[in-house]
Amino acid sequence: MTPFSVELANAEDTARLGQDVGLSLRKGDLIALSGDLGAGKSTFARGLIRTIADDADYDVPSPTFTIVQSYPELRLPISHVDLYRLSTADEIDELGLDEALLDGIVLIEWPERADGFLPPVSLSITLQDHGSGRKAFIEGPPDVLARLERSLAIRSFLARSGLAHAERRYLLGDASARGYETLSTGSGTPLILMNSPYNPGGPILRDGKTYMQIAHLSQSVNAFVALDRLLASKGFNVPHINAEDLEHGFLVIENLGSDGILDKDGAPIFERYEAAVRLLAKLHQFIWPQDIPVGNGATHRLHHFDRDAMMIEVELLSDWYVPRMNGTVISPDLKSSYIAAWDNVFSQLSNAEQSLLLRDVHSPNILWQAHRSGIERVGLIDFQDAMLGPSAYDVASLIMDARVTIEPDMQDLLLAAYIEERRAGSTAFDETGFKKAFAIMAAQRNAKILGIFVRLDERDGKPFYLRHLPRIQTYLERVIDHPALAPVKDWCEKNGILAQRIKA
């Protein structure tokens, strides 16, 4: 990827470039910022630091006299360095830049005074006068430039959508490749930017398919767009899509707020969980199409939650959780017996009721809309991985919430509320069949999550998911007593899986 330049008409454009650069950075990045006095380095630096601080008025003093101004409290800690007053280049060793890069980023003004003593530079940005404005010349390694070019592509998308001057702020990243930002325009509730690049899916695992393809995870933003419009057409409360760039994976969507279904202490609010489970009961009374229009002449096909998808997910337990717990990779024979046990269990789902399966119906993905009524009080925001599968799956996902402990008594009340709502909607509802499917799907999902959370720690460097493991272990232990799960329960008991607690 070759170096490029960005034209900056005024100081506001320079500050916005700081925003765009700031949102592309990762721990370990070093930015070398060059330019004559008055070229806009301070304006750029304030834009970058205030973006990471999520505060448009954040105090950003010049480091001219202190040489290093540190911001260790930020989401991404920053060391802002000014080498203008450096006596000799070898003094750089005393600034602790290598240590700062271990936990955050370093922004250096007047890097030319370093005379080769700097750690490797991630981005080199030079600000120069250009006509009545300025121009920024940017170079760096291809991977860093690719990150920045995607951030700049977001700015271009916003400009095409009438949001050229929106203030961008980091909102969150999830366990996938997606990222989210808030977009403030100076009035009203900020909008949400979804940054969802096409995900090729990783290495081939079997039958020429990646994990994502076997598990039927969405690879492009088309899935979200299709499901969003389908759910809205049935009266469910999902974010309105204000602008879209399907080719690049950018959406501007409605902000449904931050009021969830947990109280201020992080405990579940029964009324809100009950409203959510009754929403699922209504959702399961619709007949859902398999092919859904996206809006650009294309369609999105809903996959079936088939045996291969269920199995690749529970194999996360055998491939990641069991080795972490036992300290050794599972043997081929033991793996084969594990798969055979689940095959036996999954074969019992052949007559299970099928419906739209949203896949991740739990507290992080439900926003409470107190100003609305009925099912519209429940805002849904994560459904791009939806499939057609056992209706019991989403009920199990909600009632056994992976992120917050739902005690057995509350689980029973929520399940009873769902069944009550289904009976009111149809006398043909098969409660016995549903409860069996519920147990199987709850066990399948919790086995998957045990493996995913260990994988997120070991492969992706995200250890904070491990704190949820005791809860998931308890959930699995509760449902595995159902007779339909006897083969899996026997396997777990023979191999000591339920008798231990993983060491984080």
Side-chain angles (χ1 to χ4, degrees):
M1 188 168 291
T2 58
F4 59 91
S5 63
V6 179
E7 293 192 9
L8 307 168
N10 48 43
E12 288 75 17
D13 281 355
T14 304
R16 274 190 287 273
L17 178 62
Q19 282 184 36
D20 300 339
V21 171
L23 287 164
S24 76
L25 299 178
R26 295 178 182 170
K27 182 172 65 175
D29 283 342
L30 185 150
I31 304 92
L33 181 60
S34 301
D36 293 335
L37 289 171
K41 297 191 297 298
S42 295
T43 301
F44 173 92
R46 281 194 298 271
L48 187 154
I49 294 170
R50 286 173 174 173
T51 296
I52 294 177
D54 192 16
D55 184 350
D57 298 316
Y58 193 76
D59 187 30
V60 184
S62 171
T64 300
F65 295 102
T66 58
I67 300 182
V68 179
Q69 186 71 39
S70 297
Y71 303 92
E73 72 281 5
L74 301 187
R75 171 183 62 83
L76 188 59
I78 300 174
S79 292
H80 183 193
V81 182
D82 188 328
L83 301 182
Y84 187 76
R85 296 178 61 250
L86 204 67
S87 299
T88 59
D90 58 8
E91 293 179 12
I92 289 176
D93 288 339
E94 302 173 12
L95 302 182
L97 302 185
D98 289 322
E99 292 81 1
L101 289 169
L102 293 175
D103 297 316
I105 64 173
V106 173
L107 172 63
I108 297 182
E109 298 186 39
W110 300 100
E112 54 272 14
R113 298 182 65 85
D115 193 27
F117 280 81
L118 288 180
V121 174
S122 305
L123 279 177
S124 178
I125 301 174
T126 302
L127 299 175
Q128 295 181 0
D129 289 338
H130 180 72
S132 60
R134 299 186 182 103
K135 183 176 282 191
F137 296 88
I138 303 173
E139 57 184 331
D143 61 323
V144 182
L145 288 183
R147 278 191 265 134
L148 176 55
E149 287 207 333
R150 183 153 184 93
S151 184
L152 294 174
I154 290 173
R155 180 65 68 183
S156 296
F157 163 63
L158 295 178
R160 296 193 303 272
S161 306
L163 296 166
H165 298 159
E167 294 283 321
R168 298 172 57 193
R169 294 289 185 266
Y170 174 87
L171 179 59
L172 60 87
D174 59 19
S176 72
R178 288 183 297 274
Y180 299 86
E181 300 174 13
T182 57
L183 304 171
S184 300
T185 59
S187 62
T189 302
L191 298 168
I192 302 294
L193 171 86
M194 180 189 291
N195 175 9
S196 183
Y198 177 78
N199 192 336
I204 299 297
L205 292 186
R206 63 187 64 152
D207 300 327
K209 295 180 180 180
T210 67
Y211 176 89
M212 290 188 70
Q213 291 167 333
I214 298 170
H216 306 315
L217 298 173
S218 66
Q219 293 181 267
S220 79
V221 77
N222 286 18
F224 181 92
V225 173
L227 268 297
D228 185 273
R229 290 173 177 154
L230 177 64
L231 289 165
S233 73
K234 301 297 186 182
F236 295 98
N237 187 0
V238 293
H240 176 73
I241 299 173
N242 292 17
E244 62 190 61
D245 181 339
L246 301 181
E247 179 182 356
H248 294 99
F250 301 140
L251 298 178
V252 175
I253 62 176
E254 177 188 5
N255 187 343
L256 296 183
S258 58
D259 190 13
I261 56 176
L262 307 179
D263 65 20
K264 60 182 178 60
D265 297 319
I269 301 173
F270 178 78
E271 173 200 5
R272 299 183 182 186
Y273 272 84
E274 182 184 13
V277 83
R278 289 184 184 276
L279 174 146
L280 290 175
K282 293 186 181 299
L283 184 145
H284 294 154
Q285 295 176 45
F286 285 98
I287 296 174
W288 298 96
Q290 185 167 16
D291 293 304
I292 313 168
V294 175
N296 61 349
T299 58
H300 171 69
R301 166 154 282 214
L302 289 172
H303 293 280
H304 287 282
F305 194 24
D306 52 28
R307 180 264 182 204
D308 288 344
M310 293 181 188
M311 188 62 73
I312 198 72
E313 290 185 342
V314 297
E315 284 182 55
L316 291 167
L317 182 140
S318 58
D319 294 349
W320 292 90
Y321 176 84
V322 173
R324 176 67 170 267
M325 186 168 58
N326 292 343
T328 182
V329 176
I330 191 171
S331 71
D333 288 345
L334 200 56
K335 176 74 174 284
S336 294
S337 63
Y338 176 76
I339 290 174
W342 277 109
D343 256 333
N344 188 318
V345 171
F346 293 151
S347 68
Q348 301 174 63
L349 292 170
S350 58
N351 296 321
E353 178 190 66
Q354 305 287 301
S355 186
L356 182 65
L357 186 161
L358 299 181
R359 204 168 196 148
D360 278 314
V361 182
H362 58 168
S363 52
N365 298 329
I366 300 173
L367 294 172
W368 187 251
Q369 311 290 284
H371 59 289
R372 299 194 178 187
S373 60
I375 62 171
E376 290 189 355
R377 294 178 299 168
V378 181
L380 302 171
I381 60 171
D382 188 332
F383 38 74
Q384 59 277 336
D385 293 328
M387 299 177 288
L388 297 173
S391 56
Y393 184 94
D394 283 340
V395 183
S397 173
L398 178 66
I399 290 178
M400 295 189 167
D401 194 322
R403 305 300 180 93
V404 61
T405 299
I406 309 295
E407 298 293 349
D409 288 349
M410 185 171 171
Q411 291 176 17
D412 292 342
L413 289 172
L414 291 172
L415 187 59
Y418 175 86
I419 291 171
E420 177 186 71
E421 196 74 36
R422 289 301 308 273
R423 284 174 174 167
S426 172
T427 56
F429 175 65
D430 177 7
E431 180 178 340
T432 301
F434 176 82
K435 286 183 174 179
K436 180 170 79 169
F438 174 88
I440 294 172
M441 289 290 86
Q444 190 273 346
R445 178 172 171 82
N446 284 297
K448 172 187 75 171
I449 293 174
L450 286 174
I452 284 178
F453 285 177
V454 172
R455 186 179 71 178
L456 283 167
D457 173 45
E458 296 188 3
R459 189 192 71 179
D460 303 331
K462 298 178 179 180
F464 41 89
Y465 287 94
L466 295 178
R467 69 182 188 271
H468 299 299
L469 289 183
R471 175 185 311 116
I472 310 304
Q473 292 163 326
T474 300
Y475 286 161
L476 180 58
E477 288 171 354
R478 184 172 195 220
V479 297
I480 210 167
D481 283 331
H482 192 283
L485 285 153
V488 172
K489 181 181 180 182
D490 289 345
W491 187 92
C492 289
E493 288 181 342
K494 287 177 183 177
N495 295 286
I497 303 303
L498 299 181
Q500 303 180 55
R501 281 291 185 265
I502 197 167
K503 294 181 177 63

